[in-house]
């Protein structure tokens, strides 16, 4: 029968167990503590610092057994007793020992708040076997459900979200799948997370993350269709993490799963007609394919059906016909921040148009030529001048003689900072509810100011492509609205 009792025991009556199962038996408590320090290293220091700051975990009592002389030998909690003793009295061990300076520092800082008594579960000396059965259960895993069943990766991330409002990227993708009826019970989340660490893979799937928030770069139905293929392949018999272990492996794997192939890297060349033949026969018009990042497997932009597109009949001496350029189509994946096929109204101020066009050709991500700092700086300029022009055209703002941006209706205030301009637009310009809410949210999280301003001005801040994409992904509707108002 289990005859334990609970008691608060003074720290100096607790002994570190020289027969601790973590190491071979040693002579006494002193030697047991030294072995603990040598084998645990940083782990023992991390535990010490955590106990100094937060105290002992109230959900895990120490387990001890009665010994001679009113002492108690630890059965469960030897690491905790070791750090408590050394923080309370660094001279508990004589001479020099590992990390002595750290324990002396912790003693000086926390000596007045460290516990002098510890709540313990106490077993009589004749119940060693009963106590050991509980110790065994504590340290040997699930034991078919009798022991502690650890959380899996997704469960840990849910806890993180609930308590810190910070959801893991992979859990957001898993939840998106579940919300749309996709079975993910056999999917190993760590494999999916590994796959999503590669930017090119995320773009191929039509999704990305900013500040760990999932954003979709394509219609949800298209993204889901691609993710379903990923889940099917990852849960198929024979799949192993080795298939996606390295970046190159992931790129090949996602191409295969989605039926994609890399597009030609040759830059586009204008159609070049051949000289007219002297016999009046047909001349072939030579063109280079327009590049895209991925192409559907089994299709080719370099071939034309015989006798159709790509052949022009020339009738001298009439001038050679110039083929009309194909209408632009929105690519499903692109490496620039702004959709390269999207056009602005011709009535928009020219500088806004020029900056926008530059954002359509400078890559923010991709294997070659990515320039996230340049894109971040351009976006910062675009946001600033768009807000400024909107306030000038629609609300009469102007610069005074001292080059301060003011609202004539309230000349006592200046709006020189970007944040001031955007706050005024969000709160005073009658924006539609959804547009105003997006802008207020961006301002509330300081994404529009802190992130972009640091790209421009900080000497140590490194531009994060995903974060900049997220800003644009959320701000684009606001931008479109302001542009529409200025037409």
């Amino acid at each position: 029968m289990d005859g334990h009792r609970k008691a608060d025991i003074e720290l100096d009556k607790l002994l570190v167990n020289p027969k601790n199962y973590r190491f071979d038996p040693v002579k006494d408590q002193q030697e047991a503590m030294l072995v603990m320090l040598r084998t645990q290293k940083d782990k023992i220091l991390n535990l010490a610092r955590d106990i100094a700051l937060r105290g002992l975990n109230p959900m895990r009592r120490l387990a001890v057994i009665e010994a001679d002389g009113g002492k108690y030998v630890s059965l469960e909690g030897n690491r905790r007793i070791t750090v408590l003793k050394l923080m309370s009295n660094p001279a508990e061990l004589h001479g020099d020992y590992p990390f002595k300076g750290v324990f002396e520092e912790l003693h000086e800082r926390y000596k007045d708040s460290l516990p002098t008594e510890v709540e313990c579960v106490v077993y009589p000396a004749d119940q060693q076997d009963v106590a050991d059965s509980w110790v065994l259960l504590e340290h040997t895993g699930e034991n078919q459900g009798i022991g502690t069943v650890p959380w899996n990766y997704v469960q840990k991330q849910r806890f993180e979200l609930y308590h810190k409002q910070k959801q893991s990227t992979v859990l957001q993708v898993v939840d998106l799948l579940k919300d749309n009826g996709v079975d993910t019970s056999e999917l190993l989340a760590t494999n999916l997370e590994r796959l999503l660490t590669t930017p090119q893979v995320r773009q191929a799937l039509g999704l990305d993350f900013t500040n760990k928030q999932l954003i979709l770069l394509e219609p949800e139905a298209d993204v889901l269709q691609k993710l379903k293929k990923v889940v099917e392949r990852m849960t198929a018999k024979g799949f192993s993490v080795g298939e996606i272990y390295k970046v190159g492996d992931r790129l090949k794997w996602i191409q295969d799963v989605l039926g994609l192939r890399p597009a030609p890297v040759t830059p586009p060349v204008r159609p070049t007609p051949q000289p007219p033949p002297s016999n009046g026969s047909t001349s072939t018009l030579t063109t280079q394919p327009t590049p895209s990042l991925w192409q559907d497997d089994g299709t080719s932009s370099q071939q034309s059906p015989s006798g159709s597109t790509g052949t022009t009949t020339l009738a001298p001496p009439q001038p050679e016909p110039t083929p009309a350029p194909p209408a632009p189509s929105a690519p499903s994946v692109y490496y620039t921040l702004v959709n390269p096929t999207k056009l602005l109204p011709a009535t928009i101020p020219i500088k806004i148009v020029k900056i926008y066009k530059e954002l359509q050709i400078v890559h923010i991500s991709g294997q070659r030529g990515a320039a996230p700092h340049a894109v971040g700086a351009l976006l910062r300029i675009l946001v600033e001048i768009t807000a400024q022009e909107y306030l000038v055209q629609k609300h009469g703002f102007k610069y005074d003689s001292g080059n301060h941006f003011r609202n004539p209706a309230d000349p006592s205030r200046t709006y020189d900072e970007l944040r001031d301009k955007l706050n005024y637009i969000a709160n005073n310009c009658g924006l539609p509810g959804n547009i105003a809410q997006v802008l207020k949210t961006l301002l509330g999280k300081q994404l529009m100011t802190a992130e972009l301003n640091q790209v421009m001005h900080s000497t140590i801040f490194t531009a994060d492509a995903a974060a900049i994409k997220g800003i644009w992904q959320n701000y684009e509707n606001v931008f479109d609205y302001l542009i529409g108002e200025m037409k």
Side-chain angles (χ1 to χ4, degrees):
M1 182 176 178
D2 192 335
H4 74 270
R5 60 186 174 88
K6 299 180 181 68
D8 292 334
I9 299 177
E10 295 174 7
L11 185 59
D12 60 5
K13 292 182 179 179
L14 296 173
L15 301 176
V16 177
N17 195 340
K19 295 181 180 179
N20 189 335
Y21 298 114
R22 292 184 183 276
F23 45 79
D24 292 334
V26 294
K27 181 177 58 176
D28 53 24
Q29 171 182 255
Q30 305 296 99
E31 193 171 344
M33 294 174 70
L34 285 171
V35 173
M36 193 79 74
L37 293 173
R38 294 191 187 106
T39 57
Q40 290 284 297
K41 299 180 181 178
D42 287 347
K43 294 178 182 178
I44 203 81
L45 293 182
N46 291 336
L47 177 62
R49 294 185 180 109
D50 186 69
I51 290 176
L53 288 169
R54 300 198 298 166
L56 290 165
N57 183 350
M59 294 186 176
R60 295 185 66 230
R61 293 188 183 92
L62 279 72
V64 299
I65 194 164
E66 295 173 342
D68 295 338
K71 301 288 186 179
Y72 301 85
V73 176
S74 173
L75 299 175
E76 173 59 32
N78 283 283
R79 296 193 320 133
R80 285 171 282 174
I81 294 176
T82 296
V83 299
L84 276 175
K85 282 180 173 290
L86 293 178
M87 286 193 296
S88 298
N89 178 23
E92 180 81 27
L93 289 176
H94 303 300
D96 290 330
Y97 56 85
F99 316 117
K100 183 176 182 179
V102 176
F103 286 108
E104 289 175 338
E105 180 183 348
L106 291 172
H107 172 77
E108 288 300 318
R109 293 181 62 184
Y110 299 103
K111 59 185 176 184
D112 294 331
S113 59
L114 293 171
T116 57
E117 292 184 340
V118 179
E119 186 177 10
C120 298
V121 175
V122 182
Y123 281 89
D126 61 355
Q127 288 202 2
Q128 176 83 47
D129 290 343
V130 176
D132 278 349
S133 68
W134 290 110
V135 173
L136 179 68
L137 190 61
E138 176 73 13
H139 290 282
T140 54
E142 296 185 21
N143 286 288
Q144 298 180 329
I146 301 173
T148 301
V149 179
W151 288 339
N152 62 29
Y153 181 85
V154 171
Q155 291 162 345
K156 291 177 183 176
Q157 297 303 321
R158 286 204 180 97
F159 180 87
E160 185 80 4
L161 170 65
Y162 182 82
H163 286 277
K164 298 185 178 180
Q165 299 301 307
K166 184 176 66 175
Q167 188 174 20
S168 79
T169 53
V170 69
L171 182 56
Q172 292 177 70
V173 175
V174 170
D175 284 347
L176 174 65
L177 289 165
K178 288 182 176 180
D179 291 343
N180 286 274
V182 180
D183 182 10
T184 62
S185 60
E186 300 298 321
L187 177 67
L188 190 58
T190 51
N191 287 340
L192 181 59
E193 182 180 45
R194 181 181 293 276
L195 184 70
L196 294 176
T197 58
T198 303
Q200 296 93 325
V201 170
R202 298 197 300 269
Q203 291 203 13
L205 291 169
L207 57 85
D208 215 327
F209 303 97
T210 175
N211 292 329
K212 294 195 173 184
Q213 181 64 45
L214 173 65
I215 57 174
L216 301 184
L217 306 177
E218 300 178 30
E220 183 176 288
D222 295 343
V223 176
L224 282 168
Q225 189 63 31
K226 295 177 181 180
L227 287 172
K228 288 177 183 177
K229 294 180 179 180
V230 169
V231 173
E232 289 172 2
R233 182 68 65 88
M234 281 190 168
T235 55
K237 185 177 180 180
F239 172 81
S240 71
V241 70
E243 297 177 38
I244 57 170
Y245 196 76
K246 296 180 180 179
V247 172
D249 298 331
R250 292 171 212 147
L251 296 179
K252 292 178 182 177
W253 190 87
I254 199 66
Q255 289 172 27
D256 181 51
V257 170
L258 300 183
L260 303 172
R261 59 186 175 84
V265 296
T266 307
V269 179
R270 284 184 173 276
T272 305
Q274 301 296 324
S278 57
N279 59 5
S281 62
T282 302
S283 171
T284 301
L285 188 66
T286 304
T287 63
Q288 292 290 341
T290 302
S292 62
L293 299 180
W294 303 99
Q295 294 180 345
D296 289 337
D297 198 15
T299 65
S300 173
S301 61
Q302 303 182 54
Q303 298 178 357
S304 299
S306 176
S308 59
T309 305
T311 301
T312 304
T313 301
L314 301 176
Q318 293 181 356
E320 175 184 277
T322 302
S329 59
S332 60
V333 181
Y334 46 84
Y335 285 169
T336 57
L337 180 71
V338 175
N339 186 331
T341 66
K342 191 171 180 179
L343 300 176
L344 293 182
T347 55
I348 298 303
I350 188 63
K351 187 171 182 179
I352 294 178
V353 174
K354 287 184 175 180
I355 297 297
Y356 192 84
K357 286 183 177 179
E358 290 177 21
L359 283 168
Q360 290 178 308
I361 60 175
V362 180
H363 284 197
I364 188 171
S365 60
Q367 289 180 301
R368 298 181 181 179
H373 292 87
V375 173
L378 285 170
L379 179 58
R380 172 65 172 75
I381 297 169
L382 182 70
V383 172
E384 177 91 42
I385 62 174
T386 303
Q388 176 181 296
E389 285 297 323
Y390 171 79
L391 290 172
V392 168
Q393 291 189 26
K394 304 299 292 183
H395 296 277
F397 278 59
K398 59 184 178 180
Y399 281 96
D400 63 16
S401 58
N403 204 33
H404 294 295
F405 198 56
R406 296 183 187 273
N407 178 8
D410 182 16
S412 62
R413 287 194 59 184
T414 62
Y415 294 83
D416 297 331
E417 299 295 328
L418 172 61
R419 184 176 179 82
D420 297 333
K421 297 180 179 73
L422 293 174
N423 266 319
Y424 185 90
I425 292 172
N427 295 293
N428 303 98
C429 294
L431 271 60
N434 59 329
I435 300 295
Q437 184 58 45
V438 168
L439 187 53
K440 289 176 182 178
T441 300
L442 288 169
L443 290 168
K445 294 181 179 179
Q446 296 188 336
L447 292 177
M448 298 302 296
T449 52
E451 186 84 21
L452 294 179
N453 284 345
Q454 287 185 94
V455 169
M456 296 283 286
H457 304 298
S458 173
T459 58
I460 61 174
F461 182 84
T462 300
D464 180 82
I468 295 171
K469 288 180 189 177
I471 292 174
W472 178 248
Q473 180 78 13
N474 290 285
Y475 181 73
E476 186 175 11
N477 287 338
V478 179
F479 174 83
D480 290 344
Y481 173 82
L482 300 180
I483 291 296
E485 288 291 289
M486 287 191 284
K487 285 195 297 185

